[in-house]
Amino acid sequence: MFRTLWQYRHFIISSIRGDLKGRFVRSRLGGLWFILHPLAQALIFSIVLSEVLKARLPDTDAPAAYPIYLLSGMAAWSLFSEILMRSMTVFIEQAPVMKKIAFPRLCLPIIVGGTALINHLLLLVALFVIFIFLGHIPGRALVLLPVGIVLIAAIGFGLGVILGVVNVFIRDVAQVMTIVLQLWYWLTPIVYPVNVLPEKYGFLIGLNPIAPLVALYQDALLFNRWPDPGSLIMPAMLGLASMAFAIVFFRRASPELIDVL
Amino acid sequence: MTVLSVSNLSKCYASYASNLERFAGWFGAPVKPTEEFWPVKDVSFSLSAGEALGLIGQNGAGKSTLLKLITGTVRPTGGTAHASGRISAILELGLGFNPEFTGRQNAFHAGGLMGLSQARLSELMPYIEDFAEIGEFFDQPLRTYSSGMQARLAFALATAERPEVLIVDEVLSVGDSYFQHKSFDRIRSFKADGTSIILVTHSMGDVRSLCDRVILLDKGHVLKDGPPDEVVDYYNALIATKENDKLTVEQRREKDQWLYSRSGTKAVAVESVALTDSDSGAQIKTAVSGQSVTVRTRIVAKEDIPELVIGFMLRDRAGHTVWGTNTWHTGQVLSNITAGDKVECRLRLACALGQGSYGLSVALHTGDVHIDNNYDWIENIEVFDVINSDRPVFVGTSRLEHAFEIIR
């Protein structure tokens, strides 16, 4: 399987290039949009929450700490949601090609994942520039960021492919997931710091595999502290398990996938 | 040498009581589908190197599914399709193209999707550029292309490398006629080099001109497998009689391999057809190019019918239509025929044909085509030769009036 995928590496790479190109080409601000969106969102949240709700962040004296906190969490979340949502719909979008050309179908979610990762790296670079602009330079904990990227991508890819296969048979899945993701976003400490949460809801954070990864981003980019290794066990296990199950599930489903597309 | 062998190939689309049952089935649970649909069932054939097979049949006959099974995008429920080399399938032109890429980038991109290596594509690129004939557009983004230019690029890419088996699904009707010719020539040269071809088309002309053999599919089964004229005529007869329960199709080979086939309800039937010299009235088997001939047809009605149209068609040896018309177009429709009525039709023709052998077909029906109410339709009821005795030698089936004027 991996050998055939390797043979198709050029197709995968040029598809990723095409995806990125398609996203930025022919809009006046081109590549700037992908940073303008999260910036605008961060600005809105900053205004609404830090001024109106007087949200305060503990453990930091960084200037503009709240926008940086927001942007870090949102970056982590956007990587997760983009891989998840696009893997979920990629089979339906690419149905004509899948039906009429014989090629390893696993290329498709890999292209989605690759595009999202490159996008994400560009976003991180842009965020860095903004952070420096805001007078904040992330510290040594930054070296752990790749761990967060890998785990988020693994969970997003695994869940995305599993749900993507199910979505081919039951199209409501993608619709339901947009709502689930909204809820999930608000159940993850991205917009608010974890300490504002009432004690009795603490268990929700404990169950949320994305929460420790978002925290890792915030730690790495803002607080400059090392994450609790124990908190990463659950996301790592989930990432591994979902990836493995996704590949098996996809291979079993593959023949019938084409039949109902 | 057998290049492609297809044996008992079948495909079943199953519906299950619920999707959960379907998922359980992938992991070995014994699940029974509630409904089964077999678009292709027990299809077997083999193709040798350089053989071209036409696949015909009405919509829903299973042609496209069969192609997908052979190509490998759809997995068969039963049976196997085994090819001894690379299969290249053109099921749709321009699949996988990205509108933002240039023609060249798209050739690399979609070529990769087809499984060609980048190194090989680099070698093929000059050929692709040359064959597509889209000039400087080759390095422009695809979104600026006309649909014809896209088709050219896609076809050039799809046929850049000669495969062992080439599968073409109704894509040759795109583009202008110059490019269609060019595409056909390309396919013919592949064939000459030993590529086996499977062609799906609704154009019986393409089938006759390219294929060595034709398979007629109906409801997923092979209904008929044989030489093009035999299968195509059978198919035409089948369409004409589809609406009719009194379906009869009769076929046999005549002298020199001309295929006689007859179908229809016989509510009115042809008794005899004779080719005669218009002046003497004598029956002839050979006509001189330019001679005035009369086709005398005797018809007898066995039932009362409201309307009768008589049509004639001439075909050359290769099965191409040379000429044809009927009494509907000439405004001579007969009405209110009663059982027992006899009709004689005399068709006077200037035999403006070139040298060769021609088959005359006759059809009795209503309306402008023989699809509704096919009473009696006989392909190649009369076969005759045409010789050229008074004209300088010319080739082709048409005796065009001509004169050279040479100035020096």
Side-chain angles (χ1 to χ4, degrees):
Chain A
M1 182 182 81
F2 294 104
R3 248 200 35 221
T4 43
L5 282 177
W6 178 246
Q7 281 168 359
Y8 278 80
R9 65 192 183 279
H10 292 290
F11 169 69
I12 293 173
I13 291 165
S14 88
S15 297
I16 292 173
R17 208 175 51 216
D19 263 13
L20 293 171
K21 207 169 179 179
R23 205 171 295 195
F24 300 134
V25 91
R26 293 218 284 164
S27 60
R28 213 160 267 250
L29 290 174
L32 277 180
W33 275 116
F34 81 108
I35 180 71
L36 288 179
H37 278 301
L39 263 186
Q41 227 181 341
L43 190 70
I44 293 165
F45 281 133
S46 298
I47 291 168
V48 171
L49 294 170
S50 76
E51 297 305 318
V52 177
L53 296 180
K54 298 281 177 213
R56 285 290 173 263
L57 287 173
D59 305 332
T60 177
D61 47 9
Y66 183 64
I68 294 172
Y69 178 83
L70 260 178
L71 284 168
S72 312
M74 277 163 43
W77 182 263
S78 71
L79 176 64
F80 174 65
S81 70
E82 190 187 337
I83 295 185
L84 181 72
M85 287 308 286
R86 291 219 40 228
S87 308
M88 206 157 60
T89 50
V90 71
F91 301 124
I92 293 173
E93 282 164 17
Q94 299 295 329
V97 178
M98 288 175 70
K99 278 198 272 192
K100 294 191 169 164
I101 297 181
F103 70 105
R105 277 69 177 258
L106 211 52
C107 286
L108 295 174
I110 289 175
I111 290 165
V112 165
T115 309
L117 277 174
I118 290 178
N119 235 336
H120 186 66
L121 292 178
L122 292 173
L123 178 73
L124 285 178
V125 170
L127 283 183
F128 249 80
V129 174
I130 288 164
F131 289 175
I132 290 167
F133 216 66
L134 293 173
H136 171 74
I137 295 167
R140 278 176 306 154
L142 193 65
V143 295
L144 277 181
L145 203 60
V147 175
I149 296 176
V150 168
L151 291 181
I152 290 175
I155 297 175
F157 183 87
L159 292 183
V161 169
I162 296 167
L163 292 172
V165 169
V166 177
N167 189 41
V168 170
F169 299 94
I170 312 166
R171 302 278 164 112
D172 313 61
V173 170
Q175 305 297 334
V176 171
M177 277 312 286
T178 46
I179 299 167
V180 169
L181 274 180
Q182 283 257 356
L183 195 66
W184 197 344
Y185 178 78
W186 287 104
L187 285 176
T188 309
I190 294 168
V191 172
Y192 52 86
V194 68
N195 62 340
V196 305
L197 218 61
E199 201 70 22
K200 55 180 175 178
Y201 296 120
F203 75 97
L204 275 177
I205 305 297
L207 284 178
N208 184 343
I210 297 301
L213 300 172
V214 167
L216 189 150
Y217 264 67
Q218 290 154 347
D219 286 344
L221 291 170
L222 175 64
F223 301 117
N224 190 27
R225 64 186 172 202
W226 305 102
D228 166 22
S231 72
L232 296 179
I233 293 174
M234 200 255 280
M237 303 254 284
L238 180 71
L240 212 65
S242 66
M243 283 272 274
F245 184 71
I247 290 173
V248 172
F249 190 60
F250 180 75
R251 287 170 69 86
R252 293 285 166 93
S254 206
E256 279 197 53
L257 211 57
I258 308 294
D259 293 358
V260 295
L261 273 171
Chain B
M1 191 188 71
T2 302
V3 172
L4 176 74
S5 62
V6 171
S7 60
N8 300 316
L9 205 58
S10 303
K11 178 67 194 176
C12 172
Y13 288 115
S15 331
Y16 296 90
S18 78
N19 276 305
L20 277 180
E21 286 195 13
R22 182 196 292 271
F23 299 154
W26 301 340
F27 295 96
V31 191
K32 273 243 157 67
T34 50
E35 217 176 292
E36 289 187 340
F37 167 59
W38 296 82
V40 171
K41 192 151 193 190
D42 281 332
V43 171
S44 302
F45 64 88
S46 60
L47 270 186
S48 41
E51 192 175 11
L53 172 76
L55 211 52
I56 60 173
Q58 288 176 298
N59 292 331
K63 301 178 301 254
S64 292
T65 308
L66 180 57
L67 292 192
K68 286 178 196 158
L69 286 169
I70 297 170
T71 311
T73 58
V74 172
R75 237 173 269 190
T77 314
T80 55
H82 180 79
S84 67
R86 198 171 80 90
I87 298 181
S88 167
I90 318 178
L91 301 185
E92 192 179 320
L93 284 175
L95 271 180
F97 278 6
N98 184 320
E100 296 303 335
F101 284 169
T102 66
R104 189 183 305 276
Q105 287 169 333
N106 265 307
F108 275 112
H109 175 67
L113 179 62
M114 288 158 47
L116 293 167
S117 74
Q118 298 294 292
R120 186 77 189 115
L121 281 166
S122 303
E123 283 167 37
L124 294 170
M125 207 47 64
Y127 156 75
I128 295 172
E129 185 172 2
D130 181 58
F131 190 87
E133 286 186 61
I134 51 175
E136 49 201 59
F137 274 96
F138 197 61
D139 287 305
Q140 303 279 322
L142 190 82
R143 65 184 143 77
T144 61
Y145 285 29
S146 69
S147 57
M149 283 156 65
Q150 258 192 57
R152 281 166 175 238
L153 177 66
F155 190 87
L157 174 65
T159 59
E161 182 150 75
R162 186 180 76 80
E164 291 312 307
V165 180
L166 178 70
I167 294 174
V168 184
D169 188 2
E170 280 192 272
V171 289
L172 293 175
S173 47
V174 294
D176 48 60
S177 58
Y178 164 72
F179 197 72
Q180 274 182 34
H181 266 277
K182 202 170 157 180
S183 310
F184 255 102
D185 284 346
R186 181 85 188 146
I187 292 178
R188 279 203 193 88
S189 78
F190 275 173
K191 181 165 141 53
D193 292 343
T195 295
S196 308
I197 290 156
I198 302 180
L199 177 76
V200 165
T201 177
H202 284 288
S203 155
M204 295 303 139
D206 291 353
V207 171
R208 285 178 197 268
S209 67
L210 188 72
C211 300
D212 310 307
R213 186 175 142 203
V214 176
I215 285 181
L216 170 61
L217 277 184
D218 188 47
K219 299 187 186 91
H221 294 271
V222 174
L223 200 62
K224 210 164 169 60
D225 179 351
D229 56 345
E230 197 172 316
V231 182
V232 170
D233 286 351
Y234 188 88
Y235 175 59
N236 283 337
L238 205 67
I239 294 179
T241 45
K242 187 119 185 140
E243 304 298 312
N244 254 299
D245 37 4
K246 296 177 194 167
L247 180 145
T248 58
V249 183
E250 176 196 346
Q251 287 190 314
R252 64 172 183 264
R253 287 274 164 196
E254 300 279 284
K255 186 168 74 76
D256 291 337
Q257 292 299 302
W258 281 92
L259 180 79
Y260 169 95
S261 58
R262 183 169 190 173
S263 63
T265 63
K266 312 276 168 58
V268 261
V270 174
E271 267 194 336
S272 68
V273 173
L275 185 72
T276 61
D277 178 71
S278 296
D279 300 332
S280 68
Q283 199 163 340
I284 51 174
K285 273 285 166 199
T286 302
V288 177
S289 186
Q291 181 182 3
S292 175
V293 296
T294 301
V295 179
R296 294 166 181 257
T297 310
R298 289 180 196 280
I299 296 158
V300 62
K302 292 174 183 149
E303 288 166 30
D304 295 351
I305 53 162
E307 184 185 314
L308 178 63
V309 172
I310 309 166
F312 292 90
M313 179 131 88
L314 278 173
R315 284 228 180 88
D316 68 6
R317 197 70 193 75
H320 296 297
T321 304
V322 173
W323 171 88
T325 191
N326 62 36
T327 58
W328 193 89
H329 294 296
T330 59
Q332 292 166 289
V333 179
L334 292 170
S335 44
N336 299 323
I337 305 256
T338 50
D341 276 2
K342 289 189 186 234
V343 178
E344 181 173 356
C345 168
R346 293 180 190 173
L347 167 69
R348 199 181 161 102
L349 285 172
C351 178
L353 297 169
Q355 257 188 356
S357 189
Y358 296 86
L360 177 74
S361 304
V362 58
L364 307 180
H365 54 94
T366 59
D368 60 338
V369 287
H370 54 235
I371 302 299
D372 13 282
N373 293 322
N374 171 24
Y375 298 128
D376 197 3
W377 176 20
I378 313 171
E379 291 272 353
N380 301 326
I381 187 172
E382 188 68 21
V383 174
F384 61 97
D385 290 319
V386 173
I387 53 166
N388 178 15
S389 61
D390 59 341
R391 278 279 171 106
V393 170
F394 65 94
V395 295
T397 56
S398 304
R399 179 184 162 112
L400 298 183
E401 285 307 321
H402 64 278
F404 292 107
E405 193 173 339
I406 296 163
I407 298 121
R408 79 176 278 199

